[in-house]
Amino acid sequence: MSTESKDKQMGKIDQFKNDIRFRRKIEYVETIPGKDASYKKVDVLNKRILQYLEDKKIKLYRHQALAIEKTREDKNIIITTPTASGKTLAFNLPVLEELISDNDACALYIYPAKALSYDQLKVLRNFEDEMGLDLNPNPYDGDTPKAKRYKIRQESRIILTNPYQIHHILAWHHQWERFYSNLKYIIIDEAHYYKGIFGSNVAFLIRRLKRIAKFYGSEPKFILSSATLANPLELAEKLTGESFELIDEDSSPSGEKDFVLYNPYKSIKKDSKDQFDMDEYSRSVHMETERIFLYLILKDIQTLCFTSSRKIAELIALWTKRDMEKVKKRNVEKIAAYRAGYLAEDRRQIEDGLKSRDYLGVTSTNALELGINIGSLDAVIISGFPGSMISTWQQGGRSGRTNQKSLVILVAFENQLDQYFMKNPEFFFDKPHENVVIDLNNEKLLKNHIICAANELPLTLEEAKEEFNVTEDFLDNIVRNRDLRKSRGFYIYPYDDSPSFNFSLDQISNEIFTVMNGRTVIEHMEKSNMYREAHEGAVLINQGQTYIVNKVDLDSHFIFVKKKDVEAHTIALKRTNIKITKKIKKHRIGEFTVHFGELEVEEDYFKYKLMQYSKVIGEYIIDLPPLKFNTKGIWFTIPDSVKDKLEEIYKDETEVFAGGLHGTEHAMIGLFPLHVMCDRFDIGGLSTNYHEDTQEATIFIYDGYEGGIGICEKAIDLITELTKSTRNLIKNCECKDGCPSCIYSPKCGNDNKPLHKKATEYILDYMWDEMNKLSPEDLAKLEEERINTENSDYDNLNGHSDVEVEYDKKPNNAEIEIDDEREADNAEIEIEDDEAQEEYEKALEEFNKENYSIAKDILTDIIINYDNQSADAYYLIGKILFIQGDSMGALSFVKKALSIEPAHELANEFYFELKNSY
């Protein structure tokens, strides 16, 4: 791109943030500076590779060169550099080097999506043509014609496939003897995609694959490619069972990028006593996204718009086409929607159209988040925070693939998490990438994969222990259930069918429904999607066209639709019931207890709304059997004393307690992704005034997938942080009676009724105060210390204290350790740091407002982060504990304050007040 073109492009990009129609709703703009490339030479490159690089005028970036060097040392590597940093070349060059030097060598490329493998196929065939190689790369998946499969198995040296295909063909390994015997490399691209249930399943699948390769005498090396994440080595090692070297330094060049936080609700007043119109809010954000999308296309800025769902991707494309028809007709055909479920040829036509700029605007689900080559885009709109920072930066990385200026616009929804980021941009841009979690202890998954492994090759106890880390008792249990047979030391699958077809890698229903318009297949969808989007009476949107669902045949798995142009959409509502089937553990924080265990969840889709933008034009019954699944979750109870107090405070109102429980459930679920890597739709919840399994008012939060995906199990250890952030969210929200940024939920099956903001705040305050109380164990320690010291002379406090309170960053400030080695220090300690002093003044202000828990949080942060010898902070925490009824805790803290500063006047007065109270 010429300098003149770059300047012109920069001008168009900058116009958006300065446009009067949009600038008042921009909360923050982060300008990410461009950077130059860093290069590195590789010794003794193969002549064909060297010639190719010279012909293409390619200089290797430093991270690409390191990939070659590490693999030459027989290392498994994981490359975690950003989108468009040259990862594809980095993992292809070591493979090409091996396959050129060994004419029999083979490589297996594994992708999470078919579209990615076809994109890579073009790259590999180009290498083959340019270098004059005989690699015969081919895809092998569900779309591969049967007539070509035998030849591919016999002749291809590079196979591109996906986990689903491997899952089903491993049992036919005898047909692949040539390939497995010569397998040198396994490439796993987009490795960050393998998380939760799907990632855990793939980890077991890779162990099955390695077992087959070993049977044929191969021990392939692994190259993994991933987005930037917090735990790349842990992910790689759990996914494959091998050790890895990390390459994470991005040495590629990049252009300047504006990252805009755009808040459609910035100027909306939220002090009305009237109930919030959720439909108006939903319409607002999606119509606002469409306005920005249309604006950018009209400015000739090629834009990819990521949406929160398949339906919204279709709607925004549909609205934009209709609006474009009025202003610039020739651009209508340059707009399209892209999502899973489309036929393969339709998806590839859109991908190619983006590269050629035949399409100026495409709306998409996260299907285009992965590394499909769609060329250099000018702008990305992210309509709603996608649930993780990894996804956010992957999607944002789709713009600016060369050195030109680019634009990313995050359009906030009016939910808790999006609005939290809008009001805390530093948190958003400083937030580290999340950990990707793989669970290798799910017994159901282990059982499924062990059965499959035994079907592929008879399994020994030693193999089962080595590959799957299970005991003989575990295997014998499977035998007792008649899923395996034990014979002469081997575990054997005793049936004629293929067990891989009995379960899905992503633990979503294996029941696939086919959507028929007359005799034309328009898409395929899973059962759960049918319940939400294609029940009888639903308006189904496909490629910008609307269809009415006339009939769903549950037996034949066909959905019959009729094309009809309607300006309406449908929303399905559901009721949820939960049974506790097994208590696994409980976690006590102060006086508050959270439970974790196995749950049986029943979701009953009972009716749907027919919507025209924000207006409900009809409500209709859904006649479908409930969906049932077993999962894992957390739950906690709220005592009747809280209910009684709320009914006393708000005696003229109804359903106050239920509204508070419901609001607490919504708000906590809304902020779950702030603490645990998940999408807000990965979890579900239920609140009830009385639950028969607990005999009390209970709030449940559960993983929304069969068997659980580890979200809630991780969250139980973060419950204090979650409670703290949720409580602060409610207190800082400007609305009076509740809104989507605090207690409303867009997926509530009860139409967000009942909800009560003040009761929600009261319940969260109760939870927080209980978490901050000293546990009985801590009180016992303090009582013992009090007995040992109550007769001591006050002068002994000068420089010596038997009890020191150490603080965890959790708000439970009650961990006590005996410290006999601390030196006496009679010097006065004051908070001298300006920042610390400012924080202390905030704490004092909250104390005077009687916001004791908030004040205590601030004081704890001072001790942890600024000055662990702050007598003022220890003294004021002691005062707070005393006010909250914890006299012994207060005594401990004031003694600590006096051990630091014996002349502290207020601490001395308070100490004698405490002593006289005993």
Side-chain angles (χ1 to χ4, degrees), residues 713-886:
E713 185 168 14
K714 188 173 182 182
I716 194 172
D717 296 322
L718 300 168
I719 195 70
T720 48
E721 289 88 342
L722 176 61
T723 304
K724 177 181 177 181
S725 58
T726 306
R727 183 169 167 269
N728 290 341
L729 172 81
I730 302 300
K731 289 183 179 295
N732 293 326
C733 186
E734 298 172 357
C735 74
K736 184 176 181 180
D737 297 316
C739 71
S741 69
C742 58
I743 61 174
Y744 280 64
S745 169
K747 60 173 185 171
C748 180
N750 294 318
D751 283 341
N752 286 292
K753 297 172 186 176
L755 287 173
H756 196 289
K757 184 182 179 184
K758 290 295 183 183
T760 299
E761 185 175 346
Y762 187 93
I763 290 171
L764 286 164
D765 281 345
Y766 160 79
M767 292 169 59
W768 188 243
D769 289 341
E770 290 296 294
M771 289 176 180
N772 276 274
K773 284 183 179 177
L774 293 171
S775 68
E777 294 79 9
D778 295 325
L779 286 170
K781 289 179 182 178
L782 283 171
E783 174 65 13
E784 181 182 354
E785 172 59 20
R786 184 186 70 78
I787 292 170
N788 290 337
T789 60
E790 65 180 358
N791 295 322
S792 64
D793 188 87
Y794 166 67
D795 291 338
N796 288 336
L797 289 170
N798 189 12
H800 296 277
S801 175
D802 292 329
V803 179
E804 177 180 351
V805 181
E806 290 198 356
Y807 295 89
D808 188 5
K809 288 191 178 181
K810 295 179 181 178
N812 179 19
N813 302 327
E815 295 187 17
I816 298 174
E817 293 186 1
I818 305 299
D819 185 355
D820 294 326
E821 298 181 1
R822 189 178 60 245
E823 293 182 5
D825 186 354
N826 296 327
E828 284 194 353
I829 306 293
E830 294 182 357
I831 301 175
E832 296 177 348
D833 184 272
D834 290 341
E835 228 176 322
Q837 182 62 37
E838 187 178 325
E839 290 298 301
Y840 183 76
E841 288 169 2
K842 287 181 188 176
L844 203 54
E845 183 180 344
E846 296 296 337
F847 177 83
N848 291 329
K849 292 179 183 176
E850 299 184 359
N851 293 329
Y852 300 125
S853 293
I854 294 175
K856 190 159 55 174
D857 284 348
I858 298 170
L859 294 165
T860 302
D861 285 340
I862 290 171
I863 293 169
I864 293 170
N865 298 317
Y866 298 106
D867 182 6
N868 63 6
Q869 296 294 300
S870 170
D872 287 338
Y874 281 107
Y875 156 71
L876 198 52
I877 290 176
K879 288 288 287 184
I880 292 169
L881 290 174
F882 180 70
I883 292 167
Q884 293 178 332
D886 184 2

Side-chain angles (χ1 to χ4, degrees), residues 28-78:
Y28 185 81
V29 179
E30 177 86 358
T31 299
I32 301 167
K35 62 182 180 64
D36 296 328
S38 173
Y39 302 102
K40 189 178 191 300
K41 288 186 178 181
V42 177
D43 295 333
V44 199
L45 264 178
N46 181 275
K47 290 181 181 179
R48 293 186 185 185
I49 295 175
L50 194 59
Q51 188 63 51
Y52 171 84
L53 295 175
E54 289 176 355
D55 290 346
K56 299 293 182 181
K57 297 181 180 178
I58 296 173
K59 293 170 65 178
L60 292 180
Y61 302 135
R62 179 175 174 78
H63 64 273
Q64 294 171 331
L66 285 173
I68 298 172
E69 292 173 352
K70 293 291 183 184
T71 53
R72 285 178 175 177
E73 297 170 5
D74 281 335
K75 305 284 189 183
N76 299 307
I77 60 171
I78 177 167

Side-chain angles (χ1 to χ4, degrees), residues 107-146:
L108 179 66
Y109 285 58
I110 302 173
Y111 288 90
K114 290 178 189 176
L116 286 167
S117 63
Y118 280 89
D119 201 47
Q120 182 62 223
L121 179 63
K122 294 176 185 177
V123 173
L124 289 166
R125 285 180 174 169
N126 179 62
F127 282 136
E128 186 179 41
D129 293 341
E130 295 281 347
M131 297 185 195
L133 304 175
D134 182 19
L135 304 177
N136 198 14
N138 273 295
Y140 199 97
D141 55 38
D143 294 337
T144 305
K146 289 185 179 179

